[in-house]
Amino acid sequence: MTTALAPTANWPFAELLSAAESVNAKVDPPVVDGAVGPTIVQNGRELVNFASINFLNLHQRPDVLEHFLSASREHGLTTGGSRMTQGISRPHLEMEQEICRVTGKERAISFATGLLANFGFLNAMTKYIDWGAGMKCDNSDAVVIMDRHSHWSLLKAAEHLEHGKRLHTFRHNSPEDLEKVLKRVSSPKVVVVIESVYSADGSIAPMNELIDICEKYGALSFVDDANGFMLYGPENRPFAEEFAAMRRATFVMMSFSKAIGIEGGAIAGPADAINAFEITSGTSMFTAAMQPPTASTVGLLIRTLDGDPSIVDNYLARVERFRARLTEIGAPPFETPSYITSVLIGKDETADLVKDAFIEKGFLIPMFMFPAVKRNQAVMRLIINNDHTEEQLEYFLSTLAELKAKHDF
Ligand SMILES: Cc1ncc(COP(=O)(O)O)c(C=O)c1O
């Protein structure tokens, strides 16, 4: 009897999966029951959760849920296609107007996710697009200069650009290196791509210096503010200067999966470019828009966070106390005092053991390992949840101290 070969036998999938198994890398996502929040039920087990990127936990507020449900009834669950076919719902329009108000930009366009916003931006800014009847947009001469620690979505979206010609990178958060690159580049169309808060280590861009240099060399600037949107900016909060300078950026991109804590993304900027993105981004025209109740709830949460600063102020005060406690127990977080309180573990092998030990003790702790960071530079990416109790945080800290001593990191 012959055994039938899998139809994908000539492809490298099985090999990859068995290699992953041999190093204990999990490729099948755990199954979650109930809503994700300060705790999570994964594969039937309740864990205290430090992995959630919607750390303000607004999605669990009864008034927010009620708003979502009533917007679903009023506007339906879908726009039934892309923005151009049947249009955008009124909540999309109002949400985009809110974004213009809080960013000070002329126009905003939303996308189903932040990743699609980044893909759409780099498509629109670097391609030759010809729709016939004179409707063309030739950006095939544009040059992109990007911080080396940029998010995967930006690096991936720039992959079609020849390195050294149309794509250049500069040292992470180094205005001097950016200036060196800008001196070498001779194109009338240059766009510099940076992030406000870098998601692995929580570092913050020296925005004033970077934007000054862009302005000096006549380059456009694009700030991916996925991780900072609605958190930083007001004068009483950390990084007020950096976020004030961000208002000078040509474009600002935001994700609604972080502080807002639902889903979707947007880009705000000059009206002519944003209007053109409706057709040139591709990720607006060839995919479905955000759901109307999602757009409506994002609009509500932008107004809520803007109208009641105490929500974020109190959260950031807790982050500060948590950072101090981490230092007290001998596990100092990375230097930049942002809400991403990552702690260096080092060896990938140790990170694996520590992750499993935390699960044993009842904690879900995300480990950033290669390829998310350099090999053996593994990082425990900690984000506290606004609804963690003090007892949960203290129990975590004592567990961390114990595991640190045991695994020597
Ligand atoms: C810097 C940065 N940009 C973009 C994204 C993608 O955002 P979204 O989850 O909305 O697709 C993320 C999310 O991890 C991010 O950290």
Side-chain angles (χ1 to χ4, degrees), residues 45-65:
R45 171 126 195 262
E46 186 173 43
L47 302 166
V48 178
N49 188 12
F50 283 82
S52 192
I53 53 166
N54 55 356
F55 44 87
L56 294 179
N57 208 33
L58 300 168
H59 72 127
Q60 293 214 57
R61 273 171 50 157
D63 58 328
V64 175
L65 278 172

Side-chain angles (χ1 to χ4, degrees), residues 25 36 80-81 126 162 166 179 199 286 338 341 352 367 402 404:
V36 163
T126 61
E162 192 182 339
R166 294 194 58 209
E179 183 154 23
S199 53
F286 297 105
S338 65
T341 51
D352 252 341
M367 291 291 174
E402 188 188 307
K404 194 170 157 32

Side-chain angles (χ1 to χ4, degrees), residues 123-129 137-143 160-162 165-166 187 189:
N123 192 58
M125 296 299 279
T126 61
K127 294 255 177 84
Y128 174 71
I129 291 158
C137 187
D138 186 1
N139 283 336
S140 57
D141 55 346
V143 169
H160 62 288
L161 302 172
E162 192 182 339
K165 282 206 168 140
R166 294 194 58 209
S187 165
K189 284 189 211 148

Side-chain angles (χ1 to χ4, degrees), residues 53 112-116 118 150-154 195 197-199 224-227 253-258 263-265 381:
I53 53 166
T113 66
L115 177 143
L116 288 174
N118 282 348
S150 290
H151 188 259
W152 182 87
S153 56
L154 292 164
E195 293 175 29
V197 185
Y198 287 81
S199 53
D224 174 330
D225 188 31
N227 295 303
M253 170 272 178
M254 60 282 299
S255 159
F256 309 131
S257 60
K258 315 281 174 138
E263 220 168 61
R381 210 277 293 268

Side-chain angles (χ1 to χ4, degrees), residues 366-382:
M367 291 291 174
F368 278 32
M369 288 184 255
F370 179 81
V373 291
K374 286 189 189 143
R375 261 183 225 285
N376 295 318
Q377 294 282 309
V379 161
M380 186 165 59
R381 210 277 293 268
L382 295 172

Side-chain angles (χ1 to χ4, degrees), residues 283-337:
T283 53
S284 168
M285 193 179 237
F286 297 105
T287 187
M290 284 169 76
Q291 291 183 285
T294 303
S296 178
T297 311
V298 169
L300 168 84
L301 290 175
I302 293 174
R303 288 191 296 280
T304 305
L305 292 179
D306 199 37
D308 181 1
S310 72
I311 300 173
V312 173
D313 287 343
N314 292 341
Y315 174 73
L316 292 178
R318 287 193 85 190
V319 170
E320 216 172 296
R321 286 198 297 278
F322 184 67
R323 289 183 64 85
R325 290 285 294 121
L326 281 169
T327 307
E328 264 168 43
I329 64 155
F334 282 114
E335 199 182 340
T336 314

Side-chain angles (χ1 to χ4, degrees), residues 77-396:
L77 288 179
T78 173
T79 56
S82 72
R83 297 165 68 92
M84 281 293 169
T85 29
Q86 295 179 86
I88 53 170
S89 72
R90 189 153 300 282
H92 284 89
L93 175 69
E94 288 169 357
M95 174 192 70
E96 288 165 11
Q97 287 168 343
E98 284 295 337
I99 292 168
C100 292
R101 185 179 63 75
V102 296
T103 57
K105 299 287 177 234
E106 283 177 350
R107 245 207 30 100
I109 177 171
S110 58
F111 298 83
T113 66
L115 177 143
L116 288 174
N118 282 348
F119 271 54
F121 178 77
L122 283 167
N123 192 58
M125 296 299 279
T126 61
K127 294 255 177 84
Y128 174 71
I129 291 158
D130 187 351
W131 290 81
M135 277 177 49
K136 57 184 171 193
C137 187
D138 186 1
N139 283 336
S140 57
D141 55 346
V143 169
V144 174
I145 306 178
M146 209 180 266
D147 186 289
R148 257 173 226 163
H149 284 198
S150 290
H151 188 259
W152 182 87
S153 56
L154 292 164
L155 295 166
K156 187 74 193 167
E159 235 176 35
H160 62 288
L161 302 172
E162 192 182 339
H163 213 283
K165 282 206 168 140
R166 294 194 58 209
L167 176 67
H168 301 262
T169 57
F170 64 97
R171 266 204 327 276
H172 178 50
N173 277 349
S174 168
E176 298 74 30
D177 207 35
L178 170 63
E179 183 154 23
K180 268 193 213 150
V181 176
L182 271 164
K183 275 188 184 151
R184 284 205 314 268
V185 168
S186 61
S187 165
K189 284 189 211 148
V190 177
V191 58
V192 173
V193 172
I194 57 176
E195 293 175 29
S196 55
V197 185
Y198 287 81
S199 53
D201 62 2
S203 57
I204 304 265
M207 202 76 75
N208 249 324
E209 293 90 327
L210 292 172
I211 304 273
D212 280 350
I213 291 169
C214 291
E215 287 174 354
K216 179 172 163 191
Y217 290 86
L220 303 187
S221 46
F222 173 88
V223 181
D224 174 330
D225 188 31
N227 295 303
F229 183 58
M230 297 312 293
L231 264 196
Y232 296 119
E235 275 183 11
N236 64 317
R237 295 189 191 153
F239 320 118
E241 256 182 49
E242 286 83 348
F243 278 75
M246 196 173 77
R247 292 182 84 83
R248 291 194 280 130
T250 323
F251 297 97
V252 178
M253 170 272 178
M254 60 282 299
S255 159
F256 309 131
S257 60
K258 315 281 174 138
I260 297 288
I262 310 186
E263 220 168 61
I267 304 171
D272 61 345
I274 300 287
N275 285 333
F277 291 173
E278 295 278 4
I279 44 180
T280 58
S281 67
T283 53
S284 168
M285 193 179 237
F286 297 105
T287 187
M290 284 169 76
Q291 291 183 285
T294 303
S296 178
T297 311
V298 169
L300 168 84
L301 290 175
I302 293 174
R303 288 191 296 280
T304 305
L305 292 179
D306 199 37
D308 181 1
S310 72
I311 300 173
V312 173
D313 287 343
N314 292 341
Y315 174 73
L316 292 178
R318 287 193 85 190
V319 170
E320 216 172 296
R321 286 198 297 278
F322 184 67
R323 289 183 64 85
R325 290 285 294 121
L326 281 169
T327 307
E328 264 168 43
I329 64 155
F334 282 114
E335 199 182 340
T336 314
S338 65
Y339 70 99
I340 297 173
T341 51
S342 296
V343 173
L344 186 71
I345 299 272
K347 285 191 192 141
D348 292 342
E349 202 183 324
T350 311
D352 252 341
L353 290 172
V354 172
K355 184 177 180 183
D356 288 347
F358 266 121
I359 290 186
E360 278 297 299
K361 301 271 184 185
F363 294 99
L364 179 61
I365 307 296
M367 291 291 174
F368 278 32
M369 288 184 255
F370 179 81
V373 291
K374 286 189 189 143
R375 261 183 225 285
N376 295 318
Q377 294 282 309
V379 161
M380 186 165 59
R381 210 277 293 268
L382 295 172
I383 300 184
I384 64 167
N385 192 289
N386 206 20
D387 289 325
H388 274 143
T389 63
E390 288 302 313
E391 291 71 31
Q392 284 168 335
L393 294 182
E394 282 304 317
Y395 177 42
F396 165 77

